[in-house]
Amino acid sequence: MSHSSGAQVEYVAQGDVLNTTSESFGITIHRAANVALSFFMALLLFALGCSIDVSRVKAHVWRPWGILVGLLCQFGVMPLAAFLLALASAVKPVQAVAFLIMGCSPGGTLSNIVTFWIDGDMDLSITMTSVSTVLALGMMPLCLLVYTRRWVDTGMIRMPYSKIGITLVCMVVPVGLGACVNYKWPKVAKVILKVGTTVCSVLVLTVAILSSLLYPGSWNTDPAVVVVAVIFPLIGCTVGFICSVLLSQSWQRCRTIAVETGAQNFPICVSVLQLSFSPGELVHMLAFPFMYGACQIALGLLLITAFQTYKRIVALRSAKFDLPEPTPDSATSSSSVPSAKGEVNTGFQPDEAQQPSSSSEV
C-alpha cells in the first residue's frame, strides 16, 4: 500500500516537472518571438519612414482639409465603428479590445499601393500614413481609455496601458529615423523603401504567423469575429468616401481617404497585441487581425479590379468616336480647364452664373 502511494506521488511529481518544463519552454518561445517581431517591426517602420517627405507634409499641413478629413475618419469613425461592432456582436472583452486596437491602428503600405492603382492622391496617401502613424502614439491609448471603460470598470479585463504606450513609442522612433534618412540621403531612402518594405513585411508576417501557431486555439474563434473581420474594412471605406464627398473633396481625394480609412496597418495591431497581452489572452485575440488583413487585401484587389475595368471601358467607348481635331481657339479654351484628376467635387455647390459673352455686348 505504501509502495503504491509512493509510486503515485513520484508519478505526480514527474508530471508536475513535465508541465513546468513545457510551460517554461512555451514562455521562452513566446519571448523569443516577441524579440524577433519587435526587431523586424522596427526595420519595417524604418523603411516606411523613408517614404516621408517633409516638403509634402508641410504642403498638406498648410492646406490641411484633406488630411483633417482623413484623420477624422481614421481616429474618429473607425474606433467608434469597432466599439459598436463589439457591442452588436457580443464578443468576449479581449476580442472587443482586439477590434478597438485594429480600429485605432494607422494606415499601412497597402493603402499606398491601392491608392496608386486607383489613381488616387499619392501625396495625400503617404502623408496620411505618416501622420497617422505618429498620431497613433497618443490616439490609440486615448481611444482605448474611452471605449474600453465598459469592460474595464466592471473588472472584465485589465488594460496594459503602459505596455501599449512603450510599444508605440518604440514604433515611432524608427519612423523618425527613416524620415531623417530621406531628408539627408533621398536616393538611399528610395532603395531602403523598395527593399525594406517588401522584405520586412514578409518577415513580420512570418514571425507573427509562426508565433500564432503557439496558440492553436486562437483559430477556433467565434463566427461573430469572422463576420466583423469581413465587414469592418468595408465600413471604413464606405464611411471614408461618404465623409469626403459631403465635405466637397475632389474625387481623387475621396478615393484616397476611403482607402486610407479602410486599410489599417494590421502588422502594427499584431505587434501591439503580442507585446502587450499574456499568452492566455492572445488565444482569443490573434485571429481577428489576420482575418481583417486578409479581408482588406481582398477588398483592395476588388477596388483595383473595378476601377481598372471602368477605365478600360471608358477608353474603349471614347475610341469608338472619331472626334474632330480642336481648332486653335478651342484648344486654348480647353487648356484653361483644370484636368479631371484635380477637379473639385462641386456636386453639393450651386452653379456659378454665366457671364455674358463679348458678342452679346456688341
Side-chain angles (χ1 to χ4, degrees):
M1 182 74 179
S2 61
H3 177 73
S4 62
S5 62
Q8 184 177 3
V9 170
E10 183 180 359
Y11 175 76
V12 172
Q14 290 178 352
D16 291 339
V17 172
L18 291 175
N19 291 334
T20 304
T21 304
S22 62
E23 289 178 0
S24 61
F25 180 71
I27 293 174
T28 302
I29 294 179
H30 177 72
R31 290 177 179 175
N34 286 349
V35 172
L37 184 63
S38 302
F39 178 73
F40 293 135
M41 193 67 204
L43 292 179
L44 174 61
L45 291 170
F46 173 72
L48 290 175
C50 291
S51 67
I52 299 177
D53 190 341
V54 178
S55 61
R56 291 177 178 177
V57 175
K58 285 183 178 179
H60 283 284
V61 168
W62 287 113
R63 295 181 178 180
W65 296 114
I67 193 171
L68 287 178
V69 174
L71 293 177
L72 174 64
C73 297
Q74 187 86 43
F75 294 114
V77 173
M78 292 300 283
L80 178 60
F83 177 71
L84 295 177
L85 288 171
L87 294 181
S89 56
V91 294
K92 300 180 180 67
V94 288
Q95 293 171 333
V97 172
F99 292 0
L100 288 169
I101 291 179
M102 178 59 75
C104 300
S105 297
T109 53
L110 177 65
S111 61
N112 306 138
I113 296 172
V114 176
T115 299
F116 174 80
W117 285 105
I118 63 172
D119 294 347
D121 189 337
M122 286 301 299
D123 286 347
L124 178 60
S125 177
I126 294 173
T127 304
M128 280 186 61
T129 301
S130 306
V131 174
S132 63
T133 301
V134 176
L135 289 182
L137 175 65
M139 293 304 299
M140 183 181 289
L142 177 62
C143 292
L144 292 175
L145 181 65
V146 172
Y147 289 112
T148 59
R149 293 183 61 182
R150 175 185 177 88
W151 299 284
V152 173
D153 292 346
T154 56
M156 301 175 70
I157 190 173
R158 181 175 295 177
M159 289 295 298
Y161 293 110
S162 59
K163 291 183 179 180
I164 294 175
I166 293 172
T167 301
L168 293 173
V169 170
C170 294
M171 288 180 178
V172 170
V173 172
V175 173
L177 293 176
C180 292
V181 171
N182 189 26
Y183 180 75
K184 293 286 186 180
W185 306 283
K187 293 183 179 179
V188 177
K190 289 181 179 179
V191 177
I192 296 175
L193 179 62
K194 291 180 180 179
V195 178
T197 52
T198 303
V199 175
C200 294
S201 296
V202 173
L203 292 174
V204 168
L205 291 178
T206 301
V207 174
I209 292 173
L210 290 177
S211 61
S212 68
L213 296 178
L214 297 173
Y215 318 106
S218 62
W219 296 101
N220 299 326
T221 187
D222 300 332
V225 176
V226 180
V227 174
V228 172
V230 173
I231 66 174
F232 197 10
L234 183 60
I235 291 175
C237 288
T238 304
V239 175
F241 187 81
I242 292 174
C243 291
S244 304
V245 171
L246 293 178
L247 293 173
S248 296
Q249 296 297 299
S250 66
W251 294 117
Q252 187 185 25
R253 287 190 171 189
C254 289
R255 296 192 297 268
T256 303
I257 294 172
V259 172
E260 285 288 336
T261 305
Q264 306 292 86
N265 196 327
F266 70 95
I268 286 184
C269 177
V270 173
S271 301
V272 171
L273 289 175
Q274 191 161 339
L275 297 174
S276 304
F277 294 90
S278 65
E281 294 170 323
L282 290 175
V283 172
H284 305 287
M285 287 179 151
L286 281 180
F288 177 72
F290 287 110
M291 292 180 182
Y292 184 97
C295 292
Q296 73 176 5
I297 290 173
L299 179 60
L301 292 174
L302 180 62
L303 291 175
I304 292 173
T305 303
F307 185 80
Q308 292 297 325
T309 303
Y310 168 76
K311 280 182 63 178
R312 207 165 273 222
I313 292 173
V314 171
L316 290 175
R317 286 183 177 179
S318 61
K320 290 181 180 180
F321 300 96
D322 294 327
L323 298 177
E325 294 184 0
T327 60
D329 294 336
S330 61
T332 304
S333 60
S334 63
S335 62
S336 63
V337 180
S339 61
K341 202 163 189 178
E343 183 181 356
V344 177
N345 171 23
T346 55
F348 295 91
Q349 297 176 0
D351 297 331
E352 296 180 357
Q354 296 183 352
Q355 297 293 334
S357 62
S358 58
S359 61
S360 61
E361 292 178 357
V362 175

